[in-house]
Amino acid sequence: MTRTENVVDYIVSTDKESLPREVIEHTKAFILDTLGCAVGGYTTEPGKEMVAQAREFSGAGEASLFGDGSRVSLPFACWANSSLANVLDMDDVFAGTAHQANCLIPTAFALGEAQKASGLEVLHAIVVGFEVGSRIMMYCWPSPSLARTYFPSTWQVFDAVTVAGKLLKLTANELYHAFGLAGTVPPIPVDMQKFVERPIGFAKNVFGWTTFTGVFWTLMAQKGAKGAANILDGDAGFWKIMGSDHHDVEKLTEGLGETYNIMETKYKPYPLCTWGHTSVDAVKKLFEEHDISPHDIESVTVKTLKRAVDFLVNPEMKSLYDAQFSLPHAVAMLALGKKPGPEWMSEENMFHNPEAAAIAQKVTMEVDPTAEEVFNKEKGLAIPTTVEVKTKDGKRFQEHVKYSKGTPNNPFTQEELKDKFRTLASSLFDEKRISEIIDVVESLDTLDDISQLIVLLKEE
């Protein structure tokens, strides 16, 4: 068998009853976290724009939009819900760069709703999608020389294909062609330098189109369309299509069905690019331990990854997306005691808060060459940073952080994850509805129909 056929065979043959209990429980938290991100995203102006656009493609009305509740065409429900999950940039991270949940969960919920799938079937499809997608990522992981290019918008197309194919119960031959179809036309990778030029626009939210592409071509394969042969194999395989300069085919099936990469998920406490999270953790610890008030701050100096310095140093903000790529803004929000989430992204705090703007101007960033080496060695799990806060009375306080809050090395508790969900969901739902959603997610593997959860995600 070819490598592509090996991957497809695993997807088709793996059974939901084989999932270890710890993976099931972890995936429930993975789902709850993403639903919170999507609900929070729905309440933003960009979120409303996404939903309004999706509603114009009602089609057969197979799947529901998160927050709004309208039923629209299956691929467009996946597009909108995937986009909503990433609006606040608080969704999961794998290997320091990928946001897999915003593709996996909207696809699984939409296909699950259309197919009247059980909660366990949906949960299993999400796990399989993560395991396949994360290994395709590692197979085509580029060299450090391409660090400026953002690739998940390409390879995550296979996340959607895997989940959709599993829930549609495609045959191995159909799924093989779905891989070949979607793998030849993924969205192009993004040059981060252009991506972060102010003002950052909607192009920041690349994942919806990746999800749409995977779902659309899986539906085409179900109807008999044929794709490229062995899309993951050879010198002209997907790694070359997506623009990587390196590949390792052994990664495609390494530990597949035996170890679960989904257990290595990082959950994000802040609406900020993950490359800045260790720096925010360090600042937070210094502010709290030394009782530093906003008026005490003389300067904040951050030494960390080059890519973090390149993309997060700018305090200027003209859009919601700018705030997600501004470490100075995050420091200002911490100093002023603002709660991470929609409050950081409010019009008032982004554009009309002079105290926040003044604090942001006191933040500088410098490159630590050793941090980049550690990041590459640990495949993005470690993001070393050293932060120094100087106060107006001349005192200096320093903190070093290697693993940010939410990583497997510095994990959230289950209650902390629930609190994050409550914070994000409270922008749309009351406490009773929030508790209902949490309860249903916690019993997801016993649901006869995923629609029992989806109906709770509609605005009251």
Side-chain angles (χ1 to χ4, degrees), residues 2 24 58 72 83 169 184 188 190 200 260 272 311-312 343 357 361 420 425 429 451:
T2 65
I24 290 174
S58 57
V72 300
S83 299
K169 297 180 171 57
T184 53
I188 61 174
V190 180
I200 299 174
Y260 290 87
L272 175 76
F311 304 138
L312 304 182
E343 189 174 12
Q361 291 296 329
K420 176 186 171 183
F429 300 130
S451 297

PDB file of all heavy atoms in Angstrom, residues 2 24 58 72 83 169 184 188 190 200 260 272 311-312 343 357 361 420 425 429 451:
ATOM      1  N   THR A   2       0.371   2.306  -0.637  1.00  0.00           N
ATOM      2  CA  THR A   2       1.060   3.591  -0.592  1.00  0.00           C
ATOM      3  C   THR A   2       0.802   4.266   0.749  1.00  0.00           C
ATOM      4  O   THR A   2      -0.074   3.850   1.520  1.00  0.00           O
ATOM      5  CB  THR A   2       0.565   4.517  -1.709  1.00  0.00           C
ATOM      6  OG1 THR A   2      -0.820   4.832  -1.464  1.00  0.00           O
ATOM      7  CG2 THR A   2       0.707   3.876  -3.082  1.00  0.00           C
ATOM      8  N   ILE A  24     -11.479  10.279  25.163  1.00  0.00           N
ATOM      9  CA  ILE A  24     -12.870  10.735  25.090  1.00  0.00           C
ATOM     10  C   ILE A  24     -13.074  11.952  25.993  1.00  0.00           C
ATOM     11  O   ILE A  24     -13.640  12.972  25.573  1.00  0.00           O
ATOM     12  CB  ILE A  24     -13.832   9.596  25.489  1.00  0.00           C
ATOM     13  CG1 ILE A  24     -13.835   8.504  24.416  1.00  0.00           C
ATOM     14  CG2 ILE A  24     -15.245  10.133  25.708  1.00  0.00           C
ATOM     15  CD1 ILE A  24     -14.646   7.276  24.790  1.00  0.00           C
ATOM     16  N   SER A  58     -28.537  29.391   1.851  1.00  0.00           N
ATOM     17  CA  SER A  58     -29.345  28.482   2.668  1.00  0.00           C
ATOM     18  C   SER A  58     -29.411  27.081   2.074  1.00  0.00           C
ATOM     19  O   SER A  58     -29.462  26.086   2.792  1.00  0.00           O
ATOM     20  CB  SER A  58     -30.756  29.038   2.862  1.00  0.00           C
ATOM     21  OG  SER A  58     -31.367  29.276   1.603  1.00  0.00           O
ATOM     22  N   VAL A  72     -28.354  26.342   7.051  1.00  0.00           N
ATOM     23  CA  VAL A  72     -27.881  26.739   5.724  1.00  0.00           C
ATOM     24  C   VAL A  72     -27.231  25.547   5.037  1.00  0.00           C
ATOM     25  O   VAL A  72     -27.161  24.437   5.580  1.00  0.00           O
ATOM     26  CB  VAL A  72     -26.877  27.910   5.816  1.00  0.00           C
ATOM     27  CG1 VAL A  72     -27.528  29.127   6.475  1.00  0.00           C
ATOM     28  CG2 VAL A  72     -25.605  27.509   6.564  1.00  0.00           C
ATOM     29  N   SER A  83     -14.932  29.805  10.776  1.00  0.00           N
ATOM     30  CA  SER A  83     -14.456  31.190  10.871  1.00  0.00           C
ATOM     31  C   SER A  83     -14.771  31.784  12.237  1.00  0.00           C
ATOM     32  O   SER A  83     -13.935  32.466  12.842  1.00  0.00           O
ATOM     33  CB  SER A  83     -15.103  32.038   9.772  1.00  0.00           C
ATOM     34  OG  SER A  83     -14.756  31.556   8.479  1.00  0.00           O
ATOM     35  N   LYS A 169     -19.474   8.061   6.085  1.00  0.00           N
ATOM     36  CA  LYS A 169     -19.216   6.627   5.922  1.00  0.00           C
ATOM     37  C   LYS A 169     -18.760   6.295   4.498  1.00  0.00           C
ATOM     38  O   LYS A 169     -19.230   5.324   3.872  1.00  0.00           O
ATOM     39  CB  LYS A 169     -20.438   5.800   6.310  1.00  0.00           C
ATOM     40  CG  LYS A 169     -20.835   5.946   7.775  1.00  0.00           C
ATOM     41  CD  LYS A 169     -22.054   5.094   8.127  1.00  0.00           C
ATOM     42  CE  LYS A 169     -22.319   5.066   9.621  1.00  0.00           C
ATOM     43  NZ  LYS A 169     -22.512   6.372  10.241  1.00  0.00           N
ATOM     44  N   THR A 184      -5.251  18.859  -3.943  1.00  0.00           N
ATOM     45  CA  THR A 184      -4.690  19.585  -5.093  1.00  0.00           C
ATOM     46  C   THR A 184      -5.161  21.035  -5.155  1.00  0.00           C
ATOM     47  O   THR A 184      -4.584  21.830  -5.906  1.00  0.00           O
ATOM     48  CB  THR A 184      -5.072  18.902  -6.420  1.00  0.00           C
ATOM     49  OG1 THR A 184      -6.492  18.725  -6.482  1.00  0.00           O
ATOM     50  CG2 THR A 184      -4.391  17.544  -6.541  1.00  0.00           C
ATOM     51  N   ILE A 188      -3.946  28.779  -0.458  1.00  0.00           N
ATOM     52  CA  ILE A 188      -2.503  28.962  -0.480  1.00  0.00           C
ATOM     53  C   ILE A 188      -1.991  29.359   0.904  1.00  0.00           C
ATOM     54  O   ILE A 188      -2.742  29.919   1.706  1.00  0.00           O
ATOM     55  CB  ILE A 188      -2.083  30.032  -1.517  1.00  0.00           C
ATOM     56  CG1 ILE A 188      -2.710  31.394  -1.176  1.00  0.00           C
ATOM     57  CG2 ILE A 188      -2.451  29.596  -2.916  1.00  0.00           C
ATOM     58  CD1 ILE A 188      -2.235  32.527  -2.067  1.00  0.00           C
ATOM     59  N   VAL A 190       0.048  31.559   3.744  1.00  0.00           N
ATOM     60  CA  VAL A 190       0.031  33.002   3.954  1.00  0.00           C
ATOM     61  C   VAL A 190       1.411  33.489   4.380  1.00  0.00           C
ATOM     62  O   VAL A 190       2.019  32.915   5.293  1.00  0.00           O
ATOM     63  CB  VAL A 190      -1.000  33.375   5.044  1.00  0.00           C
ATOM     64  CG1 VAL A 190      -1.035  34.873   5.262  1.00  0.00           C
ATOM     65  CG2 VAL A 190      -2.382  32.853   4.673  1.00  0.00           C
ATOM     66  N   ILE A 200      -4.842  44.783   9.962  1.00  0.00           N
ATOM     67  CA  ILE A 200      -5.041  43.386   9.582  1.00  0.00           C
ATOM     68  C   ILE A 200      -6.515  43.184   9.235  1.00  0.00           C
ATOM     69  O   ILE A 200      -7.400  43.604   9.974  1.00  0.00           O
ATOM     70  CB  ILE A 200      -4.634  42.448  10.733  1.00  0.00           C
ATOM     71  CG1 ILE A 200      -3.155  42.645  11.067  1.00  0.00           C
ATOM     72  CG2 ILE A 200      -4.902  40.998  10.357  1.00  0.00           C
ATOM     73  CD1 ILE A 200      -2.695  41.865  12.288  1.00  0.00           C
ATOM     74  N   TYR A 260      -2.035   9.353  20.800  1.00  0.00           N
ATOM     75  CA  TYR A 260      -3.038  10.345  20.416  1.00  0.00           C
ATOM     76  C   TYR A 260      -2.475  11.756  20.571  1.00  0.00           C
ATOM     77  O   TYR A 260      -2.310  12.269  21.676  1.00  0.00           O
ATOM     78  CB  TYR A 260      -4.301  10.161  21.251  1.00  0.00           C
ATOM     79  CG  TYR A 260      -5.041   8.896  20.903  1.00  0.00           C
ATOM     80  CD1 TYR A 260      -4.718   7.686  21.516  1.00  0.00           C
ATOM     81  CD2 TYR A 260      -6.023   8.896  19.914  1.00  0.00           C
ATOM     82  CE1 TYR A 260      -5.375   6.513  21.173  1.00  0.00           C
ATOM     83  CE2 TYR A 260      -6.694   7.727  19.568  1.00  0.00           C
ATOM     84  CZ  TYR A 260      -6.359   6.545  20.201  1.00  0.00           C
ATOM     85  OH  TYR A 260      -7.012   5.384  19.850  1.00  0.00           O
ATOM     86  N   LEU A 272      -4.815  36.306  21.785  1.00  0.00           N
ATOM     87  CA  LEU A 272      -3.533  36.788  21.280  1.00  0.00           C
ATOM     88  C   LEU A 272      -2.832  35.636  20.585  1.00  0.00           C
ATOM     89  O   LEU A 272      -2.949  34.476  21.026  1.00  0.00           O
ATOM     90  CB  LEU A 272      -2.683  37.288  22.452  1.00  0.00           C
ATOM     91  CG  LEU A 272      -1.246  37.729  22.159  1.00  0.00           C
ATOM     92  CD1 LEU A 272      -1.246  39.102  21.480  1.00  0.00           C
ATOM     93  CD2 LEU A 272      -0.420  37.782  23.454  1.00  0.00           C
ATOM     94  N   PHE A 311       6.074  39.952  14.565  1.00  0.00           N
ATOM     95  CA  PHE A 311       4.640  40.015  14.306  1.00  0.00           C
ATOM     96  C   PHE A 311       3.802  40.585  15.446  1.00  0.00           C
ATOM     97  O   PHE A 311       2.627  40.913  15.237  1.00  0.00           O
ATOM     98  CB  PHE A 311       4.126  38.618  13.946  1.00  0.00           C
ATOM     99  CG  PHE A 311       4.839  37.991  12.776  1.00  0.00           C
ATOM    100  CD1 PHE A 311       5.197  36.653  12.787  1.00  0.00           C
ATOM    101  CD2 PHE A 311       5.170  38.752  11.665  1.00  0.00           C
ATOM    102  CE1 PHE A 311       5.865  36.080  11.715  1.00  0.00           C
ATOM    103  CE2 PHE A 311       5.845  38.189  10.585  1.00  0.00           C
ATOM    104  CZ  PHE A 311       6.192  36.855  10.615  1.00  0.00           C
ATOM    105  N   LEU A 312       4.373  40.716  16.646  1.00  0.00           N
ATOM    106  CA  LEU A 312       3.561  41.120  17.793  1.00  0.00           C
ATOM    107  C   LEU A 312       3.993  42.427  18.434  1.00  0.00           C
ATOM    108  O   LEU A 312       3.383  42.867  19.405  1.00  0.00           O
ATOM    109  CB  LEU A 312       3.581  40.025  18.875  1.00  0.00           C
ATOM    110  CG  LEU A 312       3.149  38.619  18.455  1.00  0.00           C
ATOM    111  CD1 LEU A 312       3.181  37.688  19.659  1.00  0.00           C
ATOM    112  CD2 LEU A 312       1.775  38.623  17.833  1.00  0.00           C
ATOM    113  N   GLU A 343     -13.713  41.334  26.248  1.00  0.00           N
ATOM    114  CA  GLU A 343     -13.401  42.614  26.862  1.00  0.00           C
ATOM    115  C   GLU A 343     -12.106  43.205  26.291  1.00  0.00           C
ATOM    116  O   GLU A 343     -12.003  44.409  26.084  1.00  0.00           O
ATOM    117  CB  GLU A 343     -13.290  42.476  28.383  1.00  0.00           C
ATOM    118  CG  GLU A 343     -13.172  43.830  29.093  1.00  0.00           C
ATOM    119  CD  GLU A 343     -13.204  43.725  30.607  1.00  0.00           C
ATOM    120  OE1 GLU A 343     -13.093  42.597  31.139  1.00  0.00           O
ATOM    121  OE2 GLU A 343     -13.333  44.774  31.263  1.00  0.00           O
ATOM    122  N   ALA A 357      -3.474  52.752  25.877  1.00  0.00           N
ATOM    123  CA  ALA A 357      -2.544  53.148  24.819  1.00  0.00           C
ATOM    124  C   ALA A 357      -1.211  53.618  25.403  1.00  0.00           C
ATOM    125  O   ALA A 357      -0.133  53.324  24.852  1.00  0.00           O
ATOM    126  CB  ALA A 357      -3.160  54.239  23.964  1.00  0.00           C
ATOM    127  N   GLN A 361       2.648  51.746  24.876  1.00  0.00           N
ATOM    128  CA  GLN A 361       3.831  52.431  24.359  1.00  0.00           C
ATOM    129  C   GLN A 361       5.082  52.145  25.193  1.00  0.00           C
ATOM    130  O   GLN A 361       6.206  52.400  24.745  1.00  0.00           O
ATOM    131  CB  GLN A 361       3.580  53.937  24.300  1.00  0.00           C
ATOM    132  CG  GLN A 361       2.564  54.377  23.254  1.00  0.00           C
ATOM    133  CD  GLN A 361       3.014  54.075  21.830  1.00  0.00           C
ATOM    134  OE1 GLN A 361       4.215  54.076  21.532  1.00  0.00           O
ATOM    135  NE2 GLN A 361       2.060  53.828  20.943  1.00  0.00           N
ATOM    136  N   LYS A 420     -13.257  29.496  31.357  1.00  0.00           N
ATOM    137  CA  LYS A 420     -13.018  30.164  30.074  1.00  0.00           C
ATOM    138  C   LYS A 420     -14.280  30.094  29.212  1.00  0.00           C
ATOM    139  O   LYS A 420     -14.697  31.097  28.612  1.00  0.00           O
ATOM    140  CB  LYS A 420     -11.838  29.523  29.340  1.00  0.00           C
ATOM    141  CG  LYS A 420     -11.592  30.122  27.950  1.00  0.00           C
ATOM    142  CD  LYS A 420     -10.509  29.374  27.184  1.00  0.00           C
ATOM    143  CE  LYS A 420     -10.437  29.834  25.739  1.00  0.00           C
ATOM    144  NZ  LYS A 420      -9.435  29.076  24.942  1.00  0.00           N
ATOM    145  N   ALA A 425     -19.015  32.382  26.637  1.00  0.00           N
ATOM    146  CA  ALA A 425     -20.426  32.124  26.337  1.00  0.00           C
ATOM    147  C   ALA A 425     -21.353  33.148  26.973  1.00  0.00           C
ATOM    148  O   ALA A 425     -22.476  33.366  26.497  1.00  0.00           O
ATOM    149  CB  ALA A 425     -20.804  30.722  26.805  1.00  0.00           C
ATOM    150  N   PHE A 429     -25.262  33.908  26.218  1.00  0.00           N
ATOM    151  CA  PHE A 429     -26.191  33.060  26.956  1.00  0.00           C
ATOM    152  C   PHE A 429     -26.232  33.408  28.449  1.00  0.00           C
ATOM    153  O   PHE A 429     -25.255  33.924  28.999  1.00  0.00           O
ATOM    154  CB  PHE A 429     -25.788  31.587  26.818  1.00  0.00           C
ATOM    155  CG  PHE A 429     -25.766  31.079  25.404  1.00  0.00           C
ATOM    156  CD1 PHE A 429     -24.653  30.394  24.920  1.00  0.00           C
ATOM    157  CD2 PHE A 429     -26.833  31.279  24.550  1.00  0.00           C
ATOM    158  CE1 PHE A 429     -24.624  29.915  23.622  1.00  0.00           C
ATOM    159  CE2 PHE A 429     -26.819  30.808  23.246  1.00  0.00           C
ATOM    160  CZ  PHE A 429     -25.705  30.126  22.782  1.00  0.00           C
ATOM    161  N   SER A 451     -27.697  16.688  17.489  1.00  0.00           N
ATOM    162  CA  SER A 451     -28.605  17.838  17.449  1.00  0.00           C
ATOM    163  C   SER A 451     -29.077  18.245  18.842  1.00  0.00           C
ATOM    164  O   SER A 451     -29.471  19.396  19.056  1.00  0.00           O
ATOM    165  CB  SER A 451     -29.818  17.533  16.567  1.00  0.00           C
ATOM    166  OG  SER A 451     -29.417  17.313  15.230  1.00  0.00           O
TER     167      SER A 451
END
